[in-house]
Amino acid sequence: MTNFENPDLQIVTSTITMDETMQNKHDDDSIIDISGRSDIPISFGTDLSDKEPVQENIPQPQYDPESWKIGKKYLRKLSLNDDQTAVLNRLWFADNVFNEIEYCRIQILKQFLRAVEFLQTQCIPVNKSYSTVIEELSEIIVCLQYNYRKESLNYRYTYDAVQTEIFNHILKLCENNVREVYGIKRKINTDFNYTHPDIQHQYSRKIVSKLEIFLTENQHQILDADYRTNIILNENNTGRWKTKFDTIKEDYSNPLAFEREIFRLAEVNTKNPSQDTIFFEASKFAAKHDKICALKLYLHYFEKDMNTSKLDRKQLTKNIQKSLFTTTEQLTDFEQILNEFVATRNLDAAIEKAVRLYLPKRKKIIIDRNAVEDVQRQHSGTVALLEEYLREDGEEGDSSANAVIPSNNEEELTINIIQQTPEIHIQKYLPELNLSEIQQEILDLFEKQSFNIAQEEMAVYLQAKNLFLGSTIDSINDVCFETLDDVLIEEEDEYFTINTDYYKKLLNND
């Protein structure tokens, strides 16, 4: 058999021949390899130094079209479950100054979740085919208002829309509940969209009446406003401090504790234009309990008032001044303290002098002993007369020093402040606006009333000045439009409102 007849043998033979040839090559360098095959190096993989860096497969953040929804936005912050997220995604806020504060919005949403849970678990629907009273009421509204058949497509769509409106109305009730806890007197409108008498009756009976009790009893679960939130709330609601001030007065125990609470209250009203009034009212109250405390607080009022654009320099009432200053000398000394404070602006020095105001004053008498002995030797009889004279003179001096301000004087006592330097008139609003005096008064009135004034109140105010409501408001908007590129005074429900950011743009900061 030939090699061609046995292929396996042919392969083996070829292999042996090749091996012998390679061996002979290594043995004899003179042998030239004409096989046409070169050495093929063993591959140990790609060199790491030459290897291109591997791109890590990092997932790129993708745009979420539902990220604006409330449930999505507060998913982690409120640790929401799937059902809570779905409910909050159906809500929307009618944005206002109060609920735009993040801390307040969170408290509103928490109270809303508690209210919905209460309605779903504690309020059993009359119709047992519905799992919650909200679903039952949604069915009632669809039937009474729209009269859709339950099997129709319009029914399902309308049913979901009505349920969403119910949730949003509950949200408004919860916002007013949080406003009440935070001392905001103005409430948002909570009128329900459906005016059908039967719907109003059923909704009030099944939802509103039960929530009124629940929200009142559960106000303690609303967290107190933090420091930053209080500053914002007091800036937008200039009279909010009065509620806290009443509480401080009720809890009065000693002057030091009272002062500490007043300073804490003033600190969170640092952006409130009524901050100086806090010290003034505190001084009036403290006069009944501690004179030094009252004088110190009045000096703090004076210091805040001097730093405002409009100086008030309110005088303490006649009765309070009589209780603080029992002698004309004390009143004169305090006037001097105030005048020095106006000139130096040194509050600490003024307070230190006020603290010493009631300390007894003793006149120092320096006696020349040698002269007395000489007189005694020459005029022994005159000495007795001189002693008697000095005794009588001393009694008269004490009497004049302790002269009490007559109580039958009906005129109010006035603390006279000497103007050390002429006052420089600081224009409050931008000069290029050319606001008239009445226009400036109206803007000042907005500032004092937290930039919200009832339309009826504004009408009465302008009527007393023989002005028309519409034309006066329009004139202010026209003057300010070029600066703001928007309307300054807007109508909201039954109120006139001003955006605080727009108002700040009108102020003259020079």
Side-chain angles (χ1 to χ4, degrees):
M1 180 182 297
T2 65
N3 291 340
F4 295 100
E5 295 176 352
N6 191 343
D8 294 335
L9 181 60
Q10 182 181 2
I11 294 172
V12 172
T13 304
S14 299
T15 304
I16 294 173
T17 304
M18 185 178 292
D19 291 341
E20 290 175 351
T21 302
M22 296 299 295
Q23 180 66 33
N24 293 334
K25 178 181 178 183
H26 289 292
D27 293 342
D28 188 355
D29 294 336
S30 64
I31 300 175
I32 300 175
D33 182 11
I34 60 172
S35 65
R37 302 192 179 197
S38 59
D39 294 339
I40 301 175
I42 300 175
S43 175
F44 292 99
T46 306
D47 187 0
L48 294 178
S49 61
D50 298 333
K51 187 177 180 180
E52 294 184 359
V54 179
Q55 296 291 335
E56 296 184 7
N57 188 19
I58 301 176
Q60 297 296 323
Q62 297 181 351
Y63 171 71
D64 184 0
E66 295 186 346
S67 60
W68 63 272
K69 293 185 176 181
I70 295 178
K72 285 274 189 178
K73 184 176 181 180
Y74 292 94
L75 176 63
R76 293 185 178 180
K77 188 173 290 188
L78 298 180
S79 301
L80 303 175
N81 57 38
D82 292 341
D83 292 337
Q84 291 173 330
T85 303
V87 172
L88 292 188
N89 279 338
R90 303 172 72 172
L91 300 180
W92 63 82
F93 276 100
D95 291 337
N96 53 58
V97 175
F98 180 78
N99 64 40
E100 285 180 345
I101 302 173
E102 182 69 7
Y103 190 91
C104 298
R105 179 163 291 196
I106 289 176
Q107 298 309 313
I108 295 170
L109 292 175
K110 286 183 177 180
Q111 191 73 332
F112 169 81
L113 293 174
R114 288 190 287 263
V116 170
E117 182 182 5
F118 165 76
L119 291 174
Q120 292 176 340
T121 59
Q122 303 299 321
C123 300
I124 309 300
V126 176
N127 190 337
K128 302 300 181 183
S129 62
Y130 297 101
S131 58
T132 68
V133 69
I134 297 177
E135 294 179 357
E136 179 186 31
L137 192 57
S138 300
E139 168 77 11
I140 292 174
I141 294 175
V142 173
C143 293
L144 292 177
Q145 184 74 22
Y146 301 100
N147 198 24
Y148 288 143
R149 290 183 295 104
K150 196 167 186 178
E151 297 80 10
S152 66
L153 294 176
N154 286 336
Y155 173 86
R156 184 70 258 172
Y157 173 81
T158 307
Y159 179 88
D160 290 341
V162 168
Q163 196 171 85
T164 298
E165 289 180 354
I166 292 175
F167 282 130
N168 277 284
H169 186 262
I170 295 173
L171 182 69
K172 291 180 179 180
L173 297 176
C174 292
E175 178 173 340
N176 278 344
N177 188 235
V178 177
R179 281 171 174 258
E180 183 177 348
V181 173
Y182 288 169
I184 308 300
K185 294 182 179 180
R186 186 184 175 191
K187 304 297 188 293
I188 61 173
N189 183 14
T190 57
D191 293 339
F192 197 44
N193 291 339
Y194 300 99
T195 58
H196 191 289
D198 291 339
I199 293 178
Q200 289 283 344
H201 173 72
Q202 293 290 346
Y203 189 76
S204 177
R205 185 172 64 89
K206 293 178 179 293
I207 299 288
V208 177
S209 61
K210 291 181 170 57
L211 280 182
E212 284 178 350
I213 299 174
F214 171 80
L215 293 176
T216 301
E217 292 178 349
N218 285 267
Q219 284 183 341
H220 65 278
Q221 297 193 55
I222 300 173
L223 300 180
D224 292 336
D226 60 10
Y227 177 80
R228 178 178 174 274
T229 303
N230 271 315
I231 291 178
I232 300 174
L233 291 175
N234 291 330
E235 180 183 10
N236 296 323
N237 302 270
T238 56
R240 181 173 177 263
W241 62 272
K242 295 178 182 178
T243 302
K244 180 63 176 177
F245 181 64
D246 290 339
T247 303
I248 295 175
K249 291 192 295 183
E250 292 173 0
D251 296 338
Y252 179 87
S253 58
N254 61 76
L256 292 179
F258 179 74
E259 284 183 37
R260 182 174 62 249
E261 292 301 318
I262 292 300
F263 287 129
R264 290 179 59 187
L265 179 60
E267 186 178 2
V268 293
N269 282 273
T270 184
K271 295 185 178 181
N272 185 350
S274 301
Q275 186 190 37
D276 58 336
T277 308
I278 297 175
F279 286 106
F280 181 74
E281 294 297 327
S283 175
K284 288 167 57 178
F285 175 81
K288 305 174 185 177
H289 304 277
D290 189 275
K291 294 181 179 181
I292 294 178
C293 176
L295 296 183
K296 290 164 64 178
L297 291 172
Y298 186 79
L299 285 169
H300 278 284
Y301 154 73
F302 217 75
E303 187 260 343
K304 299 297 181 185
D305 184 62
M306 286 195 301
N307 291 329
T308 60
S309 58
K310 183 178 180 181
L311 297 179
D312 292 329
R313 292 187 180 175
K314 299 176 183 177
Q315 296 281 341
L316 296 170
T317 62
K318 176 176 61 177
N319 292 334
I320 292 177
Q321 289 192 29
K322 286 182 178 180
S323 65
L324 290 177
F325 310 115
T326 55
T327 68
T328 53
E329 184 181 7
Q330 290 177 350
L331 178 61
T332 303
D333 289 346
F334 189 65
E335 286 180 353
Q336 184 177 354
I337 292 173
L338 289 177
N339 287 319
E340 290 179 0
F341 176 51
V342 171
T344 64
R345 301 296 179 98
N346 190 334
L347 180 61
D348 292 336
I351 290 177
E352 184 178 352
K353 292 178 180 178
V355 170
R356 299 199 303 266
L357 183 68
Y358 298 105
L359 295 178
K361 296 181 179 180
R362 297 183 180 276
K363 182 182 285 186
K364 293 184 177 180
I365 301 176
I366 301 176
I367 300 176
D368 187 344
R369 296 292 181 184
N370 296 328
V372 171
E373 291 177 357
D374 186 53
V375 171
Q376 285 179 341
R377 285 194 300 268
Q378 297 181 13
H379 305 283
S380 58
T382 308
V383 172
L385 182 61
L386 178 61
E387 290 177 349
E388 183 68 19
Y389 172 77
L390 290 174
R391 189 182 304 113
E392 291 177 356
D393 183 59
E395 291 174 356
E396 290 179 1
D398 294 340
S399 176
S400 62
N402 297 317
V404 179
I405 298 175
S407 59
N408 57 355
N409 185 3
E410 296 299 328
E411 296 183 1
E412 181 175 349
L413 299 173
T414 303
I415 300 175
N416 299 313
I417 309 300
I418 301 174
Q419 188 64 42
Q420 301 292 339
T421 56
E423 290 187 8
I424 301 175
H425 177 70
I426 301 176
Q427 192 166 353
K428 183 175 182 179
Y429 300 101
L430 294 173
E432 57 265 27
L433 294 174
N434 292 322
L435 292 169
S436 65
E437 184 176 349
I438 184 61
Q439 289 173 337
Q440 294 184 46
E441 289 181 8
I442 292 174
L443 293 180
D444 291 341
L445 184 62
F446 270 102
E447 181 182 17
K448 291 180 180 179
Q449 299 198 21
S450 305
F451 302 100
N452 292 280
I453 302 178
Q455 294 184 20
E456 183 178 354
E457 181 181 345
M458 178 61 75
V460 173
Y461 175 79
L462 294 177
Q463 186 177 3
K465 297 180 178 293
N466 297 321
L467 296 172
F468 293 104
L469 176 64
S471 60
T472 304
I473 297 298
D474 290 342
S475 68
I476 298 176
N477 284 334
D478 291 342
V479 170
C480 302
F481 187 83
E482 185 174 350
T483 301
L484 302 176
D485 197 25
D486 201 352
V487 176
L488 175 64
I489 304 176
E490 296 184 311
E491 295 184 23
E492 182 179 328
D493 296 334
E494 298 178 356
Y495 288 81
F496 285 120
T497 65
I498 288 181
N499 186 305
T500 54
D501 292 332
Y502 285 176
Y503 179 79
K504 292 175 183 177
K505 292 181 180 179
L506 305 179
L507 298 178
N508 182 16
N509 298 319
D510 295 338

